[in-house]
Amino acid sequence: MALAAPALRRYLLLLAQEHLEFRLPEITSLLSLCGGQFSGEQEIHVNSPFWILNIPSEEMARGLMKRTVCAKSIFELWGHGRSAGELYASLKNYPADKMLPYLQSDSTYKIHIHTFNKTLTQAQKIKKIDALEFLPFKGKVNLKNPEHIFWILEDYGMNPNDVPEEPIHLYFGRWIADGQRELIESYSVKKRHFIGNTSMDACLSFIMANHARVKPNDVVYDPFVGTGGLLISSAHFGAYVCGTDIDYNTIHGLGKASRKNQKWRGPDENIRANLRQYGLEKYYLDALVADSSRPIWREGMLFDAIITDPPYGIREAPRRMGSQKETVKSVERSTENHFFVSSSYHLSDIFFDLLKFAAEHLVMGGRLVYWLPIYRPEYTEEIIPRHPCLKLISNCEQMLSSHTSRRLITMEKVKEFKDQDENSHLLDGQYMPYRGHNSFREKYFSGVTKRIAKEEKDNQK
């Protein structure tokens, strides 16, 4: 006899109003990590800060909030409506047996009010709280340290220039847990020991780890590790981390510093020192000087997640190890005793190498999360690199300028890698649409030049 599925309970999620495109993939990924799934029946308005979710248990809701940086808080939803009358009617219909455990005479509570896109006076807040006197509260009010916290949440729409007198949605629920928004500040790049010109914003780093469903004891790899910013968020969630980079100076913390008023990097500025700063050094495996286009891992070397930010070629053209026989080459001095020959590395080749590596070295169900630079006037979904072993999970845009953006691509390994899959991305004419990535640098600076020229022309009027 098959066991019945657990009954879904309704929860209200309060989300932060930033990185809007990234929120749904993050919540969906984290629910699956907690053993749940995102139901098609969820009441989601993508840009709204209020989402109603059906989640099997409070434990799963708490697990979600232990990871998310996109959500602020979650509540067990007792009632909601488009007017105060609808809210009160909804509350009166909520099952008493689910309410009463939190309303006992030996308990303490308080009611908090949150409004989106409007500020209420204290008198208005008290009036709204008093209107809930029909609820069977038997405990004592304790504003400082209550056992149970209840929230009234009111939505006044998305337009700050047209705020209605009355809310368009009202919610009431029991507070369950807060998200991990404090990580954005505590892991801020501004406070980090070792940074580079392209160190990833802390919020986005945690979003990437969540999209990748990183969990304790995973092994996470970054093939373009730089100063290791993406390793930190994975290590925070208990994963063992490692990476490679072609730049000897960056891996070893040598050369010119990226911070203002600092000429050279200090003796303890390196990736290991960054993880030590956050008490995460035990999760650091190592970082190697290596070329991501050249195989260095033995067959069967498997990673649970690959999280990376490949070079776009904006500050300098991407490069890989070359040979003395290659036509285009330049000898660069890395340190006093380290020389290498580098050649150009087209963006399309970077992504093809990355997807092939992920298809070959990810565990089944493991995820690849990476940034893809886009010239927006030419963007179509066809230019997203594909591989038969990898399934596209999400594709989120972050604007860089009026004409450029980058898209956070999340892919999951769904098929074992075979030898015939090695060059599968070159078949069926699929390769040509991706070649446009190679001129991203020229298009980026072309747009910048045009914008500067327009600004100068406008200033002369």
Side-chain angles (χ1 to χ4, degrees):
M1 180 177 175
L3 295 175
L8 295 176
R9 302 168 68 180
R10 305 190 87 191
Y11 291 86
L12 178 70
L13 197 62
L14 174 61
L15 295 119
Q17 285 301 99
E18 65 172 341
H19 302 309
L20 301 188
E21 280 204 25
F22 301 82
R23 301 185 307 182
L24 184 56
E26 190 210 44
I27 299 303
T28 303
S29 297
L30 293 179
L31 281 175
S32 67
L33 183 63
C34 295
Q37 61 181 3
F38 195 86
S39 167
E41 299 176 356
Q42 315 283 20
E43 295 184 29
I44 296 298
H45 302 283
V46 175
N47 291 333
S48 171
F50 302 104
W51 291 1
I52 296 177
L53 303 182
N54 298 317
I55 302 177
S57 68
E58 184 173 316
E59 180 184 5
M60 188 177 293
R62 291 183 183 277
L64 169 66
M65 301 312 287
K66 286 179 181 178
R67 290 289 302 261
T68 177
V69 292
C70 288
K72 294 181 176 181
S73 304
I74 196 167
F75 312 89
E76 182 184 57
L77 186 62
W78 285 15
H80 69 106
R82 292 182 173 273
S83 66
E86 284 188 14
L87 171 64
Y88 303 153
S90 178
L91 285 170
K92 290 173 182 177
N93 288 328
Y94 191 73
D97 60 322
K98 293 184 178 180
M99 277 190 185
L100 293 179
Y102 309 102
L103 307 179
Q104 297 299 314
S105 58
D106 60 348
S107 66
T108 58
Y109 73 95
K110 76 172 181 179
I111 299 176
H112 184 85
I113 294 184
H114 172 83
T115 56
F116 179 75
N117 199 26
K118 189 169 185 175
T119 302
L120 300 181
T121 66
Q122 190 62 24
Q124 289 173 316
K125 292 180 180 180
I126 293 174
K127 184 178 179 181
K128 291 177 182 289
I129 292 173
D130 288 343
L132 296 174
E133 61 183 3
F134 62 88
L135 292 175
F137 286 104
K138 297 179 181 177
K140 295 181 179 179
V141 173
N142 184 331
L143 299 180
K144 291 186 177 181
N145 189 29
E147 292 178 62
H148 309 298
I149 304 175
F150 301 93
W151 282 49
I152 302 169
L153 302 105
E154 298 185 342
D155 182 4
Y156 287 86
M158 304 294 295
N159 187 353
N161 298 315
D162 184 20
V163 181
E165 284 296 318
E166 298 297 328
I168 58 176
H169 288 97
L170 300 94
Y171 309 90
F172 181 85
R174 178 175 65 91
W175 174 81
I176 301 296
D178 289 332
Q180 304 302 309
R181 297 286 296 170
E182 74 279 357
L183 295 178
I184 299 171
E185 179 61 26
S186 58
Y187 281 88
S188 171
V189 174
K190 296 178 182 178
K191 304 175 183 177
R192 192 165 299 166
H193 191 67
F194 177 47
I195 64 169
N197 293 328
T198 58
S199 293
M200 184 64 63
D201 165 78
C203 182
L204 291 173
S205 295
F206 281 103
I207 287 174
M208 293 177 75
N210 284 336
H211 282 209
R213 299 190 302 191
V214 171
K215 59 187 183 299
N217 298 318
D218 277 356
V219 178
V220 177
Y221 172 63
D222 182 353
F224 304 95
V225 70
T227 56
L230 297 181
L231 302 185
I232 293 172
S233 54
S234 293
H236 174 84
F237 292 133
Y240 293 93
V241 296
C242 58
T244 56
D245 202 285
I246 196 173
D247 192 319
Y248 180 95
N249 284 348
T250 300
I251 289 292
H252 291 276
L254 303 174
K256 293 183 178 181
S258 298
R259 295 188 187 279
K260 188 179 180 180
N261 301 323
Q262 181 183 344
K263 189 172 183 180
W264 303 103
R265 288 170 176 153
D268 196 32
E269 283 190 68
N270 50 58
I271 297 173
R272 182 183 294 276
N274 272 353
L275 281 105
R276 186 186 306 126
Q277 176 183 352
Y278 300 111
L280 302 172
E281 187 176 4
K282 66 179 180 179
Y283 297 112
Y284 181 54
L285 298 177
D286 208 346
L288 309 176
V289 179
D291 182 350
S292 65
S293 70
R294 308 286 172 134
I296 64 169
W297 303 101
R298 62 177 173 83
E299 288 187 15
M301 181 67 190
L302 301 178
F303 300 105
D304 296 284
I306 298 171
I307 304 174
T308 193
D309 183 22
Y312 314 150
I314 294 176
R315 287 181 171 82
E316 58 178 323
R319 65 183 193 270
R320 59 180 167 184
M321 297 297 184
S323 70
Q324 297 289 350
K325 297 180 180 180
E326 290 178 325
T327 304
V328 181
K329 62 180 182 292
S330 63
V331 180
E332 299 184 8
R333 181 167 183 165
S334 177
T335 64
E336 188 173 334
N337 298 312
H338 294 268
F339 294 84
F340 62 83
V341 179
S342 68
S343 65
S344 59
Y345 193 13
H346 295 304
L347 281 179
S348 58
D349 295 328
I350 290 177
F351 299 125
F352 289 139
D353 289 344
L354 178 62
L355 265 64
K356 175 181 173 294
F357 181 88
E360 190 171 357
H361 292 284
L362 277 175
V363 301
M364 283 296 292
R367 288 191 169 185
L368 165 66
V369 181
Y370 72 97
W371 289 99
L372 178 71
I374 294 295
Y375 183 63
R376 300 186 79 238
E378 298 177 359
Y379 171 74
T380 65
E381 288 191 1
E382 283 70 30
I383 69 173
I384 304 299
R386 305 296 176 108
H387 194 285
C389 296
L390 303 173
K391 176 185 177 182
L392 180 64
I393 300 297
S394 62
N395 170 8
C396 310
E397 183 180 34
Q398 182 192 29
M399 296 289 293
L400 297 177
S401 69
S402 60
H403 59 286
T404 60
S405 66
R406 59 180 181 178
R407 304 190 81 94
L408 184 62
I409 307 298
T410 301
M411 309 185 86
E412 184 173 316
K413 184 172 179 178
V414 294
K415 175 178 176 287
E416 289 289 356
F417 182 85
K418 305 294 183 183
D419 290 340
Q420 60 265 31
D421 295 321
E422 182 168 352
N423 296 313
S424 59
H425 57 275
L426 301 177
L427 303 177
D428 302 325
Q430 295 178 3
Y431 186 65
M432 291 309 295
Y434 308 150
R435 300 293 295 183
H437 294 304
N438 297 341
S439 57
F440 175 77
R441 188 171 191 265
E442 290 74 17
K443 292 171 183 175
Y444 176 88
F445 284 111
S446 172
V448 171
T449 303
K450 290 177 182 177
R451 176 174 56 80
I452 293 173
K454 182 178 183 302
E455 291 175 354
E456 290 177 349
K457 183 178 181 180
D458 291 342
N459 291 334
Q460 292 173 358
K461 291 182 179 178

